[in-house]
Amino acid sequence: MRALRSTTPDYGSGEPGRDGQSSREGSVKHPLATLAVLLAVCGAIAAAVTLASRPSHAPKVASKPIRTVKSVTPRPPPPVVTVAGPHDSGVPILMYHVLGVPPAGAPYPDLYVEPSDLAGQMRWLAGHGYHAVTLAQVFRYWRSGLALPAKPIVISFDDGYLSDYTVAMPALRRHGWPGVLNLIVDNVRPGDLTALQVRRLIAAGWEIDSHTVTHADVTTLDQAGLQREIGQARTDLRRMFHEPIDFFCYPAGQYDAAAIAEVRAAGYLGATTVNPGLATPADPFTLNRIRIDYSDHVGGFAAKMRRYTSTTR
């Protein structure tokens, strides 16, 4: 027979070595192990290349530019402007009460002003060059000559009704103006004005002044009653709101010599009445005001302003 020639390479004699393996087995295992290592290395390289070439889906974080921190010089307060000449001009103080429509049978319907009328009256003032200020600003002008706007006006609201917060504050804020709230201590309560609402009025630039504890007619009180309604009212409001409470408003405009004396003794700088006209420094404890009625609307309001301010600056 013709002998078949093996095509398998001859790696040795096939005799066992010292470790029990034939030399042939050993020579076969070494190149196979080397081949396995080479294949593993090649696979790792291929995987690395594949990963490197695959688009990344991770979000790219843009490097933030280095910001240079500059020192900021605080802005100086606006300069205090004083009046060179006389500083005793009269100033109009408006007087409002409830903002709304009077219900049927309301005892004093003219003490109401419709919200739309208030908004129209404020627009009229702004359109004619007026700018609202506080009584404190007026007294600084009278006493120290600190300048006021060219046409100042004080817009006061008596008693402390919820509408001062819901209607008056937004109406004045549209013009960047403060109001003056003549507040009855006992009206700081839910249904009228809460303490939080009063604080928000203060935060909006409003001035808080005293209108007694219970809205008592001060001309009917003895000395103890005067001290309670005038002096104690200031103490209570200062404790509640940490405001100066430098001005007093006589309930229903009623006052006499004893009431004025108690207002002075309590440390107020001035007091307002319901006497019509401009407020002047000659009468700081009986300041005139201009009452705004329900029937005025905008036309009557404009007529009052012209009548009372025709001789002012």
Side-chain angles (χ1 to χ4, degrees):
M1 293 179 60
R2 185 178 177 183
L4 295 176
R5 189 175 180 183
S6 173
T7 57
T8 302
D10 184 3
Y11 292 106
S13 62
E15 294 180 359
R18 293 180 182 177
D19 56 0
Q21 288 183 327
S22 68
S23 59
R24 181 171 179 173
E25 288 174 342
S27 61
V28 169
K29 284 188 177 182
H30 284 300
L32 287 176
T34 303
L35 180 59
V37 171
L38 289 175
L39 288 174
V41 171
C42 291
I45 293 173
V49 171
T50 302
L51 288 174
S53 61
R54 182 181 299 171
S56 174
H57 297 288
K60 294 183 179 180
V61 180
S63 59
K64 295 182 179 180
I66 298 175
R67 298 177 62 184
T68 303
V69 179
K70 296 181 180 180
S71 60
V72 178
T73 303
R75 180 178 296 179
V80 176
V81 179
T82 56
V83 177
H87 42 89
D88 56 358
S89 298
V91 175
I93 303 176
L94 303 184
M95 174 176 53
Y96 289 91
H97 288 83
V98 189
L99 301 168
V101 177
Y108 304 105
D110 243 12
L111 293 184
Y112 289 74
V113 170
E114 288 194 46
S116 58
D117 283 342
L118 176 70
Q121 291 160 4
M122 296 304 102
R123 286 194 299 270
W124 187 94
L125 289 174
H128 287 78
Y130 285 93
H131 194 287
V133 296
T134 63
L135 270 178
Q137 289 176 279
V138 171
F139 270 65
R140 285 195 291 269
Y141 159 73
W142 284 340
R143 291 184 164 196
S144 306
L146 271 64
L148 290 174
K151 296 177 74 173
I153 190 164
V154 176
I155 307 172
S156 68
F157 300 85
D158 287 8
D159 302 337
Y161 300 104
L162 180 59
S163 59
D164 297 328
Y165 178 77
T166 59
V167 178
M169 184 175 71
L172 269 62
R173 187 164 50 193
R174 292 187 191 102
H175 303 280
W177 291 349
V180 170
L181 175 62
N182 296 315
L183 182 59
I184 300 169
V185 174
D186 282 358
N187 274 17
V188 182
R189 60 188 178 186
D192 287 314
L193 281 174
T194 66
L196 176 59
Q197 289 166 336
V198 174
R199 292 188 188 99
R200 287 175 176 170
L201 289 170
I202 294 169
W206 283 47
E207 176 182 284
I208 308 301
D209 293 325
S210 171
H211 200 32
T212 71
V213 175
T214 66
H215 204 257
D217 179 349
V218 294
T219 64
T220 66
L221 303 177
D222 59 14
Q223 186 57 41
L226 286 173
Q227 195 283 326
R228 181 181 64 254
E229 293 290 339
I230 295 174
Q232 190 61 44
R234 186 180 191 219
T235 300
D236 290 347
L237 291 173
R238 293 181 82 174
R239 184 180 65 250
M240 280 192 278
F241 302 112
H242 308 288
E243 290 293 300
I245 319 296
D246 281 336
F247 301 96
F248 184 79
C249 178
Y250 301 107
Q254 300 298 311
Y255 62 92
D256 56 16
I260 293 173
E262 185 60 35
V263 169
R264 289 177 180 270
Y268 294 99
L269 302 180
T272 55
T273 70
V274 298
N275 301 334
L278 298 181
T280 68
D283 304 296
F285 291 96
T286 55
L287 297 169
N288 296 334
R289 290 192 292 171
I290 302 169
R291 183 173 125 169
I292 308 304
D293 297 320
Y294 184 77
S295 56
D296 286 336
H297 304 296
V298 177
F301 173 88
K304 282 184 177 180
M305 288 300 301
R306 294 189 181 99
R307 179 165 76 250
Y308 288 115
T309 65
S310 59
T311 60
T312 59
R313 54 177 97 185

